[in-house]
Amino acid sequence: MKIDARELGQVAAVQPPRFDMYGAIHKAIRAFMADTLVAVGRMDADDAPETARTADRVMQLLDFCSSHLAHENGFVHAAIEARAPGASAAIAHDHEEHVHEIGQLAAAVAALGGAQGPQRHALAQALYRQLAQFVAANFQHMQVEETAHNAVLWTHYTDEELVRIHDALVASIPPEEMMVTARWLVPFLAPAERAGLLADIRAKAPAPAFEALLAVSRPHLTQAEDTKLARALSLP
Ligand SMILES: [Fe+2]
């Protein structure tokens, strides 16, 4: 029996999408990485306070990346290995490389902080290129996780099981890290994703925690995005 492309499209349209535990957090990481990279690129290395602030942003990004890969190792890779032994090996190897590269980037930030005069320009340029390479590798790495790893997870787990794994991962994140996550995650979702996530959090979390999430993320929305969010959640 021959099925044409239109029929296939209709079949795909009625299949409910599977739970994607990488989707939202990887949007946050892409946003945080892109924002930090361009900040280093435009940094005035002759301006000591600006250089210190930008260096601090790079360190925050590196901390965030370290935590993220530890969460993935502890929860997602553990789940993959439990039902598909060996299936997370390539990405686990990437994670070991990322730990090494994070250490090298932290050393580059420290070198910039201790430099004087013209040397600062050379070190700022070196940091920019090194960070760009790290970002490029991470963008490719996240693509593999969102395709190959999700395919393994979707084959071996139900959505209910995946939601439980994801909830356990999120519950392990300390409040301070959660605020950094919210700052980079909520503003960089599409409006329907943002409203859905915040409605879910409002239903499950204490009111002050929900208010704190709004406070760190709403200032980074455009006027149009904020209006859509306020309408979707009946916010003031
Ligand atoms: Fe990863």
Side-chain angles (χ1 to χ4, degrees):
M1 186 181 71
K2 207 162 163 265
I3 302 174
D4 71 17
R6 228 187 76 223
E7 278 179 276
L8 273 179
Q10 285 166 351
V11 171
V14 296
Q15 296 284 337
R18 294 293 312 268
F19 177 69
D20 177 6
M21 70 168 82
Y22 289 111
I25 189 64
H26 279 184
K27 278 195 174 181
I29 291 173
R30 288 183 180 101
F32 200 172
M33 285 181 161
D35 187 80
T36 308
L37 178 63
V38 296
V40 175
R42 72 200 295 187
M43 180 179 74
D44 179 359
D46 290 323
D47 182 332
E50 187 192 329
T51 303
R53 274 198 308 276
T54 311
D56 204 48
R57 285 171 67 175
V58 177
M59 291 309 297
Q60 268 190 34
L61 171 68
L62 297 179
D63 284 347
F64 193 72
C65 291
S66 294
S67 296
H68 173 69
L69 68 88
H71 300 321
E72 284 187 349
N73 288 347
F75 291 88
V76 188
H77 290 196
I80 289 173
E81 291 301 314
R83 296 195 186 171
S88 73
I91 283 295
H93 175 70
D94 275 7
H95 280 183
E96 285 167 22
E97 281 187 1
H98 293 172
V99 170
H100 178 66
E101 289 158 6
I102 286 168
Q104 289 181 321
L105 280 162
V109 171
L112 177 63
Q116 300 296 327
Q119 203 199 0
R120 292 163 72 102
H121 290 268
L123 290 175
Q125 181 72 351
L127 174 64
Y128 177 63
R129 290 200 178 127
Q130 202 176 324
L131 184 59
Q133 293 290 309
F134 180 70
V135 169
N138 271 274
F139 274 35
Q140 293 195 321
H141 170 90
M142 289 188 280
Q143 173 70 8
V144 175
E145 290 177 330
E146 287 171 36
T147 54
H149 271 198
N150 264 339
V152 174
L153 291 167
W154 293 338
T155 301
H156 295 279
Y157 287 89
T158 65
D159 277 351
E160 290 70 27
E161 289 174 317
L162 293 177
V163 168
R164 274 202 296 277
I165 294 164
H166 184 258
D167 284 351
L169 188 164
V170 172
S172 77
I173 298 174
E176 199 179 314
E177 184 186 334
M178 194 56 90
M179 285 300 126
V180 179
T181 304
R183 185 260 174 268
W184 290 104
L185 194 150
V186 176
F188 297 102
L189 296 175
E193 296 170 331
R194 184 182 304 119
L197 173 75
L198 289 173
D200 187 54
I201 293 171
R202 181 158 62 178
K204 293 175 182 166
F210 174 71
E211 294 299 329
L213 286 186
L214 283 184
V216 293
S217 46
R218 276 184 99 174
H220 303 287
L221 299 181
T222 65
Q223 185 64 55
E225 288 166 342
D226 196 61
T227 302
K228 287 175 189 173
L229 181 69
R231 199 184 307 137
L233 298 184
S234 305
L235 298 173

